[in-house]
Amino acid sequence: MSKKVLIVDDEKNIVDILRFNLKKEGYDTLEAFDGEEAVELALSQNPDLILLDIMLPKMDGFTVCRKLRQSISTPILMLTAKEEEVDKVLGLELGADDYITKPFSPRELMARVKANLRRLVPAEQVSADKSRVNKYGDLTIDSDRYEVRRGEEIIELTLREFELVKFLAAQQGTIFSRESLLEKVWGYEYYGDVRTVDVTVRRVREKLELDPANPQYIVTKRGVGYYFNKF
């Protein structure tokens, strides 16, 4: 069954280009030309991925992202013509999975789309699981439910955040560089910005840790990368 991508942009020529490239790769598409329509379609049509422009009429992309993250964990790839780092980081902080800056090549676009449509870390990249439910201290990772619990409390994570936690936890104590995590979790061998990893880790810590300033689960190895503590 074809994956369905929601394209959100107020520029018709951009929508046409995106639609053409996605359909050429076998994806179905939906189109929205303003923020309100985007929220309505995303919630009613359940797309597999959302390409979301920042500059939109009626409701900007940041607000759309914030509203959608209250209800769904669908991967969101933000489209921006801006180079300012603050815009990119803000999108990630609000729950976007990644961003791509206009103008972008069709090759880069499709690489990002394919990577963000991967629901789970490929099996060969993680340790083999005999159980789909694994415990690490008071943390439980349930791969069948795409759910992380601290004690009895369910921690609300996006799909990408879940994938990052699961990947690192499956290999406790192993340090991964930001570039390595982009490749293994995001699926980017070339494209991608390591700040995406830093912001996602920070967002996960704010949800997962009792004291995010002194993390017990995902730990920083200064100058190297991140690892999941051994329990």
Side-chain angles (χ1 to χ4, degrees):
M1 191 172 180
S2 296
K3 297 289 188 182
K4 184 165 51 180
V5 178
L6 172 59
I7 304 167
V8 187
D9 200 302
D10 63 332
E11 297 183 51
K12 187 177 184 304
N13 63 318
I14 297 293
V15 172
D16 289 344
I17 292 169
L18 292 171
R19 184 198 300 117
F20 173 80
N21 283 283
L22 288 163
K23 285 187 175 295
K24 188 170 68 172
E25 293 290 331
Y27 298 107
D28 293 330
T29 63
L30 299 165
E31 295 85 37
F33 295 89
D34 64 63
E36 291 180 0
E37 186 182 16
V39 172
E40 180 182 347
L41 281 175
L43 296 180
S44 64
Q45 298 299 313
N46 193 31
D48 297 289
L49 180 135
I50 300 169
L51 295 175
L52 177 62
D53 190 34
I54 290 179
M55 304 300 290
L56 294 169
K58 297 187 179 180
M59 185 188 301
D60 66 40
F62 295 132
T63 305
V64 171
C65 186
R66 185 186 299 112
K67 283 182 173 291
L68 292 180
R69 279 296 176 249
Q70 294 171 1
S71 311
I72 61 176
S73 59
T74 305
I76 295 175
L77 177 57
M78 300 203 81
L79 309 175
T80 174
K82 296 184 176 181
E83 288 291 346
E84 288 85 351
E85 180 178 351
V86 65
D87 293 310
K88 298 172 181 178
V89 172
L90 178 57
L92 294 170
E93 292 283 10
L94 291 173
D97 293 273
D98 202 2
Y99 56 81
I100 184 169
T101 303
K102 300 176 184 177
F104 45 79
S105 69
R107 181 186 174 198
E108 180 181 8
L109 170 68
M110 295 316 304
R112 297 292 185 97
V113 167
K114 289 174 182 177
N116 279 283
L117 279 170
R118 296 188 183 113
R119 297 288 188 174
L120 291 172
V121 178
E124 66 271 14
Q125 293 182 356
V126 297
S127 301
D129 289 331
K130 292 183 179 179
S131 171
R132 298 281 289 174
V133 179
N134 295 280
K135 290 187 68 68
Y136 308 90
D138 62 352
L139 206 68
T140 302
I141 300 177
D142 188 332
S143 297
D144 291 322
R145 295 173 178 266
Y146 294 89
E147 188 175 273
V148 174
R149 298 186 298 274
R150 187 178 57 229
E152 297 301 316
E153 177 189 3
I154 296 175
I155 308 298
E156 296 295 338
L157 300 176
T158 67
L159 284 172
R160 187 65 70 203
E161 291 166 355
F162 176 84
E163 290 168 359
L164 177 64
V165 173
K166 181 184 176 184
F167 176 80
L168 288 172
Q171 298 160 100
Q172 295 177 77
T174 302
I175 303 167
F176 292 92
S177 68
R178 292 161 176 83
E179 292 81 4
S180 179
L181 288 172
L182 272 179
E183 178 184 348
K184 295 179 181 299
V185 179
W186 275 258
Y188 301 157
E189 294 181 357
Y190 175 74
Y191 302 111
D193 189 324
V194 293
R195 287 172 298 184
T196 302
V197 178
D198 294 331
V199 174
T200 304
V201 168
R202 185 164 71 245
R203 200 166 66 224
V204 167
R205 282 173 173 167
E206 289 171 355
K207 298 178 180 182
L208 215 61
E209 303 283 354
L210 295 175
D211 181 6
N214 296 287
Q216 301 302 306
Y217 297 107
I218 299 178
V219 182
T220 302
K221 181 68 172 178
R222 191 172 299 278
V224 183
Y226 299 104
Y227 67 94
F228 197 93
N229 236 341
K230 289 188 176 182
F231 286 91

